[in-house]
Structures are given as C-alpha cells and as structure tokens.
Amino acid sequence: MSFLDNIVPPKGVVRTLCVSNLAKTAGHGILMSVSVLFFIRTVGIPAERVGLAMTIGAALGMAASIPAGRLADVTGPRNTTVGFLLLLGVFVAGYGFVDSFAGLVAVTSLALMAESSTDAARGALIAGLIPQEERVRAWSYMRAVSNLGVSLGAVAGAVALYVDNRGGYVGLLVAGGAMFVVAGLAYLAVPQVAPVPRERSGSEWVVLRDAPYAVVALLNSVLVMNVAILTVALPVWLADRTTAPEWLYSAIIVLNTVVVVLFQVRASKGSDDVPGGARTLRRSGVLLAVCCLLFALAADRPVWLAVLILLAGAAVHVVGEMFYSAGSWSLAFGLAPDHAQGQYQGMFGMSTQLGTVVTPALATALLARLGAGGWIVFSVLLLGAGLVAPAVASWAAGTRRTSSPTAEEPVA
C-alpha cells in the first residue's frame, strides 16, 4: 500500500462518509472561530453568560445521546442520521439570529442536542455499513479529513473576524448551518441499514446495565482530556508561564493538523480488534503522560530551550492523540453488541463529551493553583488510564462472551 493510500479514502462508502465529515467539520470550524465572539461583541451577551449557555447546552446534549442512539437502532440509522444533521444545520443557522441570553440558551441547547444525537446515530450507521475489522481504518480516514475540514472552516471564520460586522457573522453562521445540511444529504448516497427487530433487542436500554462498558467509557473520559490539554491548557501555559513567543502555539496547531492528516490512518494499524485497541490506548496514555511532563519542563526556560521543549511535547502529544483515537474507536465498536450499536455509541459519545466539558475548567484551576504540578496531575491521570486499559478491556470482552449471546464477539 502506497503512502497516498493512507491519505485518500477508498472509493465507495468510506469516501462518502469522508465527504460528509468534511462538510460537517468545516461547519464546526466556522462555529469555533466566530460564534463566541459574535455573541459577545455583536449581540452583547456577557462572556460568563455565553459560557453558562454553552454549559447548559452541553449537559442537555449529553442527556440526548443514548435516547438518540436507541432511536437509530429501532428506526434505522441512515435516515435518523440524516434527520439529525438537517436539524443541526437549521439550529446552527439560527445562531445568527440570536438577540438575547434566553435565545442563546434555547438555540445552543437545540444545536448541541442535535449534534450529540447525530454522533450516536452515525455510529450505529457506520457499524451497520462497515465490517468490524475495517471500522477503525474507516474512522481514521474520517478523522484525517475532519482536521482538514476544521481548518478550512477556521479560515472562512478568519475572514468574518477581519470584516467584523453583523452581516458578515450572520452570513457565515448561516453558511455553517448549510454545511451541516450538505453533510446530512451526503448520507443519502449510502445504503440503508435495517432497524433492529424488536424481538431481538431485549431490554430497550441494555447499555444502562452494562457496567463493564461504562468503565471503558469512563477511561475514555480521562484519555479524551488530551484534546483540551492542547486547545485550552497549552496556550494558557505557553503565554503565562513560558518565555516562548505566542505565535508558537499557532505553529503547534498547524503541526498537529498536518501530522493527523498524513499519519492517522497509519497510526491506526494494529487497532482493528479489542485487544489491539486496548494496547494502543496503553501506548497513548504513556505518550500523553510524557507530553504533559515536557510541557511542564518548558516553564521559565530560555526562549530557545522553551521552544524546543514545547515542540517536542507537541510532537509526542500528536502521536499519543492519534493512538487515543484509534484505540477508542476499537473499544467503542468492538465491545458493543450489533443489536444496540446506537445506544452504545451514544454512551461512548457521552463519555467523550464529559471529558471535553470538564477538562477546560479543571486545567485552568490546576495550572493556576499548582503551576507545573498541574501538568503532573494530568500526567498521572493519563498514564493511569492508559495502563489499566488492557485489563479493563479484557474484562469487558469476557462479559460479552459469557453474558451477551447477541453481542459482537471480539477477536482474540
């Protein structure tokens, strides 16, 4: 297989999934770059109230994940995914017409609920379309494309920030909503996946009684902290506690994006089954722990040394991040029974959202109070989660074999 084959998605279903994901993540890039500043500067909502609205929306989004996944299981995941993405597009476009805090809470809650629902339904769709041994590779192509999409959306957002007027912001937010609509319509090109027959489904909420899977999801909540470590903790640390120039952070983000686009598919090799995915998570935990220690070492160093240490930490981080992605996909799908993939992907998505929501506040508090000690706390958390992943995954896989006759058998 050539290097190009690790970048360009293969023809067929996987390429269609990637086209949809490119549009979806371009919409996210637009939102990330302009929405908060639009609400604060143009609409005039105080920053703390914007944060509160986002928190309320995130909580409601997490609550919607499992019910949405269950809906996808029983009604068919393709049309459910399309429907949620179309709703998401409408709600995102609605951001441009917010004129009060109450309106912001309403639109944010609807948008984040639709997004969580989309992710759960899409997980069930991918599980139905792609064999287990090919799912991690398919997700790797999608993630590589997602980094490209976010970057394109952010570039578009930079134009609106430069113009800095209400018309520009509103037009771009409506365009962002349109990107989600395009992402949804793209799924009409993939085959239908049959809904789960009710007589096979057993308990309607089987995932809520699956303690081993819940523990795996909890480990995911810890390891997914690596995302906010890069996007929240590192820029604050770089600016406040190191002598490195602030533009270095932009260079680190570019480095991260390029490496993921070029190497995510290759980094997923060996993660096609549950044991392989668990080993990949262990490597991820070790690398992410090392990168935290490197970031801590950059404090109060001469400029040249701080730059070298931060670049080294960023390089270690992106490898750990790619291993995390591959390992988490493997466990999320490999430990979920075929008849309930929707609600299981809803549970796993909820754990991802939990880690993403908690980490910014935790990172800010730890670094402000403990300085380099805050990085050591993150290092211990990530290392611990990675090291126990194989044992927890093995325990969870054993319960699939002994107590869930309809569950998908993990490859030994």
Side-chain angles (χ1 to χ4, degrees):
M1 180 175 291
S2 69
F3 181 73
L4 193 61
D5 291 331
N6 288 313
I7 302 174
V8 180
K11 293 181 180 179
V13 170
V14 173
R15 186 169 293 181
T16 301
L17 295 175
C18 288
V19 168
S20 175
N21 210 40
L22 180 65
K24 180 176 182 288
T25 52
H28 276 298
I30 291 172
L31 282 180
M32 289 167 58
S33 59
V34 305
S35 58
V36 172
L37 290 177
F38 169 70
F39 299 138
I40 295 172
R41 291 181 181 176
T42 304
V43 182
I45 301 173
E48 62 273 12
R49 303 202 87 186
V50 173
L52 176 60
M54 296 293 182
T55 300
I56 293 171
L60 292 174
M62 284 188 280
S65 293
I66 295 176
R70 172 63 184 167
L71 179 65
D73 287 333
V74 301
T75 63
R78 193 196 74 171
N79 290 349
T80 307
T81 304
V82 172
F84 283 138
L85 273 168
L86 296 181
L87 286 173
L88 178 56
V90 171
F91 298 145
V92 167
Y95 277 134
F97 305 95
V98 166
D99 60 3
S100 66
F101 173 68
L104 178 60
V105 171
V107 175
T108 299
S109 298
L110 290 170
L112 293 181
M113 289 172 68
E115 183 174 6
S116 296
S117 299
T118 294
D119 291 343
R122 184 178 63 168
L125 176 62
I126 291 171
L129 290 173
I130 300 175
Q132 177 184 336
E133 64 275 10
E134 298 175 17
R135 288 173 193 159
V136 172
R137 185 171 180 82
W139 270 107
S140 296
Y141 282 114
M142 291 173 65
R143 179 154 191 274
V145 165
S146 73
N147 274 35
L148 180 60
V150 169
S151 298
L152 292 174
V155 170
V159 175
L161 292 173
Y162 177 77
V163 174
D164 196 22
N165 63 52
R166 187 181 187 95
Y169 286 127
V170 172
L172 198 59
L173 288 168
V174 171
M179 296 307 295
F180 289 106
V181 171
V182 170
L185 295 177
Y187 281 120
L188 295 175
V190 304
Q192 290 275 14
V193 173
V196 177
R198 290 188 180 274
E199 64 270 19
R200 284 187 56 206
S201 61
S203 168
E204 290 190 356
W205 305 105
V206 61
V207 71
L208 298 179
R209 303 200 321 268
D210 194 335
Y213 195 88
V215 175
V216 171
L218 181 62
L219 288 181
N220 179 63
S221 292
V222 176
L223 288 168
V224 78
M225 288 180 174
N226 79 83
V227 176
I229 281 174
L230 182 69
T231 59
V232 178
L234 181 58
V236 173
W237 181 254
L238 186 152
D240 293 348
R241 299 297 186 97
T242 79
T243 58
E246 293 186 7
W247 57 259
L248 180 66
Y249 179 69
S250 296
I252 287 172
I253 293 299
V254 171
L255 169 69
N256 180 276
T257 300
V258 171
V259 170
V260 170
V261 169
L262 295 178
F263 297 106
Q264 178 65 68
V265 175
R266 301 184 80 178
S268 70
K269 290 181 179 179
S271 304
D272 299 326
D273 56 20
V274 169
R279 290 191 295 269
T280 302
L281 283 183
R282 180 173 58 197
R283 292 195 293 269
S284 171
V286 171
L287 288 171
L288 292 172
V290 170
C291 91
C292 289
L293 296 178
L294 286 171
F295 291 150
L297 285 174
D300 301 321
R301 305 291 179 183
V303 174
W304 68 271
L305 184 56
V307 169
L308 288 178
I309 293 173
L310 289 170
L311 287 174
V316 174
H317 177 279
V318 72
V319 179
E321 176 189 347
M322 291 188 295
F323 284 159
Y324 157 74
S325 296
S328 63
W329 298 326
S330 178
L331 269 58
F333 284 104
L335 294 172
D338 278 338
H339 70 278
Q341 281 283 355
Q343 56 180 292
Y344 272 74
Q345 299 318 310
M347 166 74 84
F348 208 84
M350 186 168 65
S351 74
T352 298
Q353 293 165 337
L354 177 62
T356 303
V357 169
V358 167
T359 309
L362 180 62
T364 302
L366 287 176
L367 295 179
R369 295 182 181 182
L370 302 179
W375 286 112
I376 294 174
V377 172
F378 275 118
S379 181
V380 170
L381 286 172
L382 292 164
L383 180 63
L387 291 180
V388 302
V392 171
S394 178
W395 166 55
T399 64
R400 312 301 94 163
R401 289 190 290 268
T402 59
S403 63
S404 182
T406 58
E408 193 173 83
E409 292 285 343
V411 180

